Amino acid sequence: MAFLGRFYDGRLAAARAVELHYLAEYETGTLLVNAADDHGELARWPAGDLYEIPGRKDELLLAALGQANARVVVRGADHIARIRATLPVLQARQRLAFRHQLRLAITATLALAVVIAAYLYGVPLLAGRLVGLVPIAWEQRLGASLADQMQSSLGGLPLCDPDPQSVANRALTRFGAAALAGSGSPFTLDISVARSEVPNAFALPGGQVFFLSALLDQAQSPDEFAGVLAHEVGHVARRHGMEQLISSAGTGVLIGFILGDMTGISLAAGLSATIVDARFSREAERQADVFATQTGQRLGFDAARLADLLNRVGSDDDLARALALLSDHPLTNDRKAALERLSRPLPAGAQPVFSDAEWRAIKSMCGAPPGQRGTPINLGAEQAK
């Protein structure tokens, strides 16, 4: 029985009406393509070489291996069903193609799972091991460079009190040295209080710590202020800033490899995101909180009060709680509970972490009128020397 179709020889755009005949010979048979008008043979394709080309739903496009762009087009559901029943090799090739696509899908899924696992566990774990190999001087220069970038992106951070010998700055220097003592950290702390409407405090690689005036305004006790400051010192002691940059850089390279972007764009984007976000992982935050509570035991303040300050700035909302398992940053309420579990009663007769005069000086560091700006700070100038 002949099947009607249209034949494209791959050289001319015009199609010829043809009759398709199947010869059951040898092991798989042969498909003959004959002209419909004069019945001349136009092509002879071994059935084993036939395969389908994806096309419209109501069309069957047949081609053969080694036949360049030649193809046969058959239309009509009945004709298509009969051809497929006559040529079982087509169904066999479809099954092979399906299995091939299934293997590709499984391979792609496994590759994606490996990438996700590397992003969540491998890169951060590797970063924690690599941070010890980073030279101290190099980290200090990097911290100074990041500080300059933040200075530009935030429009400048004016220093609240530019006098290093003021009562407040001497108290901060003394606190930082005492907090870092015994930690084995190679850095000398550079603590700055800067004017900003953003209630935040953060630490950069190389030993620089910044406490912003909007957060200082919210602090109601020396313990709240000291708890947050000791927490940031903990990030310095554990080199979390450098670890986060290595992790972000590694993630950027990984994503760049997957997307074919190895020009450094992904790496730069990862570093920029780290600078803007300035958040650490749950484990890093836990370690910094542990450092703060241990420092509080030594210096005579209750580090758990830092959670009171954070709660006052912005309590956890329902959405934050719902997404807690998907977030690297621990919820304030969870941190407060953990801090209270870690805290121990202060030794009898412990001296306040700051004297009344020091605390008043610290609280008034940024007390200039709203329209009066402080002296712009050179973020990390000392580290860059």
Side-chain angles (χ1 to χ4, degrees), residues 226-236 284-285 288-289 291-292 306 335:
V228 173
L229 193 55
H231 175 91
E232 299 304 330
V233 174
H235 285 312
V236 172
E285 294 292 350
D289 284 345
F291 182 93
L306 76 87
R335 290 177 65 187

Side-chain angles (χ1 to χ4, degrees), residues 11-37:
R11 298 185 300 273
L12 301 176
R16 294 190 64 177
V18 294
E19 296 176 346
L20 306 178
H21 299 272
Y22 175 68
L23 298 180
E25 57 183 7
Y26 308 113
E27 293 183 0
T28 58
T30 302
L31 181 69
L32 296 181
V33 182
N34 297 335
D37 49 8

Side-chain angles (χ1 to χ4, degrees), residues 164-195:
Q165 297 304 316
S166 68
V167 173
N169 280 323
R170 283 191 286 111
L172 295 179
T173 300
R174 173 180 55 78
F175 176 90
L180 207 56
S183 67
S185 174
F187 303 114
T188 299
L189 284 175
D190 181 5
I191 301 176
S192 300
V193 178
R195 195 181 308 281

Side-chain angles (χ1 to χ4, degrees), residues 16 37 88 105 114 149 164 182 204 230 271 273 278 315 338 344 378:
R16 294 190 64 177
D37 49 8
V114 170
Q149 293 184 45
L204 294 180
L271 292 176
S315 300
R344 298 290 182 271
N378 185 353

Side-chain angles (χ1 to χ4, degrees), residues 333-349:
N333 289 341
D334 293 342
R335 290 177 65 187
K336 182 177 181 179
L339 284 164
E340 289 175 345
R341 287 194 300 270
L342 291 169
S343 296
R344 298 290 182 271
L346 296 177

Side-chain angles (χ1 to χ4, degrees), residues 58-91:
D58 59 342
E59 287 185 346
L60 173 65
L61 277 65
L62 291 178
L65 299 175
Q67 298 301 317
N69 295 321
R71 64 189 185 279
V72 172
V73 180
V74 178
R75 292 187 175 91
D78 292 341
H79 293 293
I80 293 173
R82 287 160 51 199
I83 289 179
R84 284 176 172 161
T86 304
L87 300 172
V89 66
L90 297 179
Q91 296 182 4

Side-chain angles (χ1 to χ4, degrees), residues 16 42 45 50 82 94 108 124 151 207 224 233 251 294 344 377:
R16 294 190 64 177
L42 302 178
W45 292 343
L50 296 176
R82 287 160 51 199
Q94 280 188 320
Q151 175 86 329
E224 291 181 354
V233 174
T251 301
Q294 293 173 344
R344 298 290 182 271
I377 60 175

